[in-house]
Amino acid sequence: MHFSVKNLIDLKEKVNFKVKKLNFDNYTPNIIAVSKTFSMESIKPLIEFGHIHFGENKVQEAVEKWTLVKEKNPEIKLHMIGRLQRNKVKLAVNMFDFIHSVDNIKLAKKISEEQKKLNKKLSIFLQVNIGGEIQKSGIDMKHISQLYAECLKLNLNVVGLMCIPPLSEPARKYFTKIKNCNDELQLPSLSLGMSNDYLEAIEVRSNFLRIGTKIFGQRG
């Protein structure tokens, strides 16, 4: 068995144990295997194992790696989890099923335009800069309702909120803030939790866990 498949199985066991411990009913989080920078050689064992959700953060890299693979495996769901530049939107809409990083109205408008041309509707997460960190993407929490309202006018399928909490602080308090905001907007999904904080994300019932290192090992 390939190590990445073994890692995924171990991860699923930890996730299931945590969900059981919390006594959550009707809740099974999706694990996005964050395959950015890894070659298809490393990813293939997971596809053969039947894993469906994969995450990339660069459009060009995703196009090169996934175009043929997705044609052969149409059940695969590809998630854009990195910052999306407007000049790459056309390619992204064609390639991805989910975009987790919409944080401004200009980007939302561009996605809306390209979706109409391709007659395709992606699932969209709005990225919130929950810690107000200068180096991170995301919209300020106080502007999230306004951006969501604009996205609805553009007929975008916004399914939930996404954030990356500050590394230096406990993730749980930030996840709780996002969860509360998500509930206020009556959105069905949350994209929270990475290799270092996925157990805390489960505590607020995150629907998508974005896991790279714990599946593929250290990058580079």
Side-chain angles (χ1 to χ4, degrees):
M1 187 188 288
H2 193 272
F3 79 89
S4 63
V5 174
K6 189 186 177 304
N7 287 347
L8 179 66
I9 291 167
D10 290 348
L11 182 71
K12 283 185 172 181
E13 280 175 10
K14 288 189 178 93
V15 167
N16 292 339
F17 180 75
K18 180 77 173 177
V19 171
K20 220 172 187 176
K21 200 177 165 189
L22 292 163
N23 211 13
F24 284 166
D25 290 330
N26 306 319
Y27 169 62
T28 309
N30 298 288
I31 294 168
I32 301 170
V34 178
S35 48
K36 63 177 186 180
T37 76
F38 288 100
S39 67
M40 193 46 72
E41 200 181 332
S42 304
I43 301 163
K44 217 172 168 187
L46 291 170
I47 296 170
E48 286 163 0
F49 180 66
H51 192 68
I52 286 173
H53 295 281
F54 293 88
E56 295 284 339
N57 76 334
K58 289 200 170 113
V59 177
Q60 204 59 49
E61 184 188 338
V63 170
E64 284 161 20
K65 271 160 63 172
W66 287 97
T67 300
L68 291 174
V69 176
K70 274 198 87 184
E71 279 172 21
K72 287 180 189 165
N73 305 272
E75 72 285 356
I76 283 173
K77 301 293 177 198
L78 207 54
H79 299 252
M80 175 64 186
I81 58 169
R83 189 173 206 162
L84 179 56
Q85 294 164 310
R86 290 206 302 280
N87 64 347
K88 295 276 168 52
V89 166
K90 186 178 181 177
L91 282 174
V93 170
N94 195 37
M95 190 78 243
F96 289 92
D97 304 281
F98 290 76
I99 296 177
H100 290 245
S101 50
V102 174
D103 63 358
N104 66 79
I105 191 62
K106 285 180 178 173
L107 179 58
K109 278 179 179 165
K110 188 72 180 151
I111 292 168
S112 176
E113 284 166 20
E114 294 303 335
Q115 282 194 157
K116 280 176 198 156
K117 287 178 199 169
L118 290 168
N119 194 23
K120 186 180 177 185
K121 206 159 192 186
L122 281 71
S123 297
I124 304 283
F125 284 94
L126 304 180
Q127 183 173 356
V128 183
N129 188 343
I130 191 69
E133 296 170 280
I134 296 160
Q135 75 278 19
K136 277 187 187 162
S137 302
I139 189 164
D140 191 290
M141 195 81 171
K142 60 178 180 278
H143 300 308
I144 198 74
S145 303
Q146 189 186 349
L147 178 60
Y148 175 53
E150 293 293 336
C151 287
L152 286 183
K153 286 180 199 166
L154 292 166
N155 201 25
L156 291 184
N157 179 31
V158 178
V159 295
L161 303 179
M162 180 274 241
C163 83
I164 303 166
L167 265 176
S168 55
E169 294 177 59
R172 177 64 203 265
K173 71 169 183 176
Y174 292 104
F175 288 163
T176 303
K177 271 186 190 175
I178 287 285
K179 160 83 171 148
N180 292 341
C181 185
N182 214 57
D183 289 349
E184 278 169 30
L185 296 170
Q186 298 181 315
L187 293 168
S189 294
L190 280 166
S191 171
L192 303 173
M194 303 196 297
S195 288
N196 60 322
D197 56 17
Y198 72 95
L199 293 171
E200 289 97 321
I202 290 168
E203 289 171 12
V204 298
R205 296 174 81 111
S206 177
N207 306 84
F208 290 93
L209 310 171
R210 309 181 306 271
I211 312 285
T213 311
K214 281 225 178 325
I215 296 172
F216 294 103
Q218 292 296 333
R219 289 187 167 76

